[in-house]
Amino acid sequence: MRVQPCVLVIFGATGDLTQRKLYPALYNLWREELLPSHFAVVSIGRRDKTTAEVREDIIEAIRNFSRNDDHAFIDMKPFLELFTYYKLDFNDSLGYGPLKEYLAQIDRTHHTQGNRVYFLAVAPQYFALIADELHAQGMAENTGSWQRVVIEKPFGQDLASAIQLNRGVRETFREENIFRIDHYLGKEMAQNIMVIRFANTLFEPLWNNRYVDHVQISLCETVGVEGRGPYYEKAGALRDMIQNHVLQLLALIAMEPPVSLDTESVRDEKVKILRSLKVKPQDVVRGQYGPDKHGRCRGYREEDRVSPNSNTDTFVALKATIDNFRWAGVPFYLRTGKRLPQKYSEIVISFKKLPGVLYFKERDLASNLLVIRVNPDEGVYLQFNAKQPGTQSTILPVSMDFCQNCAEGFNSPEAYERLLYDVMRGDSTLFTRWDEVEYSWRFVDQIAEWWENSHEPIPIYPAGSWGPKESAELLKRDGRDWLRFTRVGGGF
Ligand code: BG6
């Protein structure tokens, strides 16, 4: 699909997301000649700034956060000239008329034909407000040109607030013009899940409860809340990670083959999984990080702008099941947490063992494992059994390991590059449709409610450990362990 001319309008351009993700992504798209031939960016913020200052911020953002750091050797002028700054207080209704004029003028100078991407890199309480104002100025309707809006998480705090937020945006923009970002879907290996599943004879026939013993999805982080106390106090790991990233990966892993690769067919299948997801109260574990054993790292309750009595979860582990013919009886163990010993996201498909004959007669051989590593390594690891070389007939697990970003000089595109590119192309496959958001909230809300009604204190785990002991026990009860891939020595 060719990328049509357009103007990208960033609301909240002086914020963190724009500096860390959007400017570097735009730079990399420009380097790779993936931006439209007629293109402009209008950075909107409330602060007094000049376009020249914003262009300096862009250089700084690229220097600090871009995967390519060759800007010093490239003539940046044509890139920087794409950007201008526009000061606007989002609450000021009177400011939107002049903005409309300004954008029309950009259209004339850049030949961008009235096509717009409005990227709302702002707090969710502004989503509906900005959408309303755009609507009031007639800037949100597709009349000969297209108008798309991009919104970031958090998309609500629960189903009720998500419905309200959605209503605010939907009154203005049609569903096909709303792009709800889940940056995990922009990651290379998340995009690869469907290819691995549906382009390999080796895996597709085994992808069901006859052959799969269980699935594990772990999104582990070493960082704490990093100054995001006020947001995190209301979110916790359940809403911050499970509701979106973890459930999206689960949906891609578990969905039926779509009838085609078009956006709606893929989303239809993902929604079915989210609707069939079940969990029991006794299968959910939460935890909060305390100080580490050496007193070097403070606990969550000591973080800035966090209540000293906070019960917010910084760790969640749970066992879910999927009520359908393919997956009945297969546990899906999901886990995410902050201040864990390693930063990685991976999915482990553990296959059933063979019947107790031949090699399985006297020995308990290792299970076959397929590991999809989402980050920081990107790749696929397959573990199977083979004879150890030598005269003893010892059988050991061996592996085939494909790491796509290990090769020297390989530099995977950042999630936001793909996502911005897709918005401009009008392809919303890697964005979440409203019903996906809705069913994810339904799943998460029931857990939040159990916790609200529970009088149990939240388990505290030392920073730098693998979470509360209840997390390991959740799997031990089923005779299993959390598995993790470590590059050191290769294997589990
Ligand atoms: C964000 C969460 O959506 O994802 C953060 O709000 C989290 O709390 C981040 O740190 C993790 O993303 P990644 O790409 O670093 O795994």
Side-chain angles (χ1 to χ4, degrees), residues 376-449:
D377 292 342
E378 290 169 3
V380 179
Y381 171 97
L382 183 65
Q383 177 181 285
F384 53 100
N385 292 313
K387 182 187 159 307
Q388 191 183 31
T391 43
Q392 308 282 332
S393 46
T394 308
I395 297 177
L396 283 180
V398 296
S399 66
M400 287 202 271
D401 191 359
F402 159 63
C403 177
Q404 85 176 10
N405 63 346
C406 294
E408 188 78 30
F410 189 89
N411 189 354
S412 293
E414 290 280 346
Y416 276 85
E417 294 172 36
R418 173 66 197 254
L419 296 174
L420 276 174
Y421 182 64
D422 280 0
V423 178
M424 292 188 284
R425 290 195 309 160
D427 180 347
S428 42
T429 315
L430 300 180
F431 297 80
T432 43
R433 196 169 65 188
W434 164 246
D435 48 358
E436 297 177 64
V437 176
E438 177 185 345
Y439 283 102
S440 302
W441 275 123
R442 283 184 196 281
F443 180 78
V444 156
D445 277 1
Q446 64 184 325
I447 299 174
E449 203 180 311

Side-chain angles (χ1 to χ4, degrees), residues 245-278:
H245 311 321
V246 176
L247 292 187
Q248 283 293 322
L249 292 179
L250 169 87
L252 287 169
I253 286 289
M255 70 183 196
E256 292 298 313
V259 289
S260 85
L261 293 175
D262 70 45
T263 305
E264 298 314 323
S265 307
V266 173
R267 289 163 152 192
D268 288 347
E269 296 308 330
K270 281 163 68 192
V271 166
K272 286 188 206 157
I273 292 299
L274 297 168
R275 291 178 65 179
S276 326
L277 212 52
K278 298 279 179 289

Side-chain angles (χ1 to χ4, degrees), residues 153 183-184 187 221 228 240-241 245 338 343 375:
K153 67 180 274 255
H183 80 279
Y184 259 73
K187 289 187 190 276
E221 297 189 89
R228 295 160 79 214
D240 186 46
M241 298 290 281
H245 311 321
K338 295 210 182 276
K343 157 95 182 152
N375 89 40

Side-chain angles (χ1 to χ4, degrees), residues 334-350:
L334 315 179
R335 150 175 90 155
T336 185
K338 295 210 182 276
R339 289 269 183 248
L340 303 184
Q342 284 175 4
K343 157 95 182 152
Y344 71 86
S345 304
E346 71 185 21
I347 301 158
V348 182
I349 318 288
S350 177

Side-chain angles (χ1 to χ4, degrees), residues 220-401:
C220 302
E221 297 189 89
T222 49
V223 292
V225 288
E226 311 280 284
R228 295 160 79 214
Y231 155 72
Y232 205 83
E233 278 284 87
K234 291 201 202 116
L238 182 68
R239 296 178 173 96
D240 186 46
M241 298 290 281
I242 300 276
Q243 187 271 340
N244 36 76
H245 311 321
V246 176
L247 292 187
Q248 283 293 322
L249 292 179
L250 169 87
L252 287 169
I253 286 289
M255 70 183 196
E256 292 298 313
V259 289
S260 85
L261 293 175
D262 70 45
T263 305
E264 298 314 323
S265 307
V266 173
R267 289 163 152 192
D268 288 347
E269 296 308 330
K270 281 163 68 192
V271 166
K272 286 188 206 157
I273 292 299
L274 297 168
R275 291 178 65 179
S276 326
L277 212 52
K278 298 279 179 289
V279 63
K280 297 188 185 128
Q282 64 271 28
D283 291 336
V284 186
V285 171
R286 61 180 170 157
Q288 185 189 79
Y289 64 83
D292 73 335
K293 284 194 223 121
H294 315 287
R296 266 176 276 177
C297 179
R298 57 186 171 174
Y300 177 73
R301 289 175 185 170
E302 285 89 56
E303 299 279 12
D304 292 341
R305 294 176 293 161
V306 163
S307 157
N309 310 314
S310 174
N311 272 330
T312 300
D313 48 299
T314 61
F315 179 96
V316 181
L318 62 92
K319 174 167 82 169
T321 50
I322 296 170
D323 256 4
N324 67 15
F325 276 113
R326 183 185 288 267
W327 294 116
V330 178
F332 284 72
Y333 299 101
L334 315 179
R335 150 175 90 155
T336 185
K338 295 210 182 276
R339 289 269 183 248
L340 303 184
Q342 284 175 4
K343 157 95 182 152
Y344 71 86
S345 304
E346 71 185 21
I347 301 158
V348 182
I349 318 288
S350 177
F351 291 92
K352 288 190 172 161
K353 296 194 175 177
L354 288 173
V357 289
L358 301 178
Y359 297 113
F360 273 84
K361 201 167 184 174
E362 282 148 25
R363 285 169 282 207
D364 185 27
L365 298 178
S367 302
N368 290 161
L369 300 174
L370 175 72
V371 181
I372 300 177
R373 286 176 290 144
V374 178
N375 89 40
D377 292 342
E378 290 169 3
V380 179
Y381 171 97
L382 183 65
Q383 177 181 285
F384 53 100
N385 292 313
K387 182 187 159 307
Q388 191 183 31
T391 43
Q392 308 282 332
S393 46
T394 308
I395 297 177
L396 283 180
V398 296
S399 66
M400 287 202 271
D401 191 359

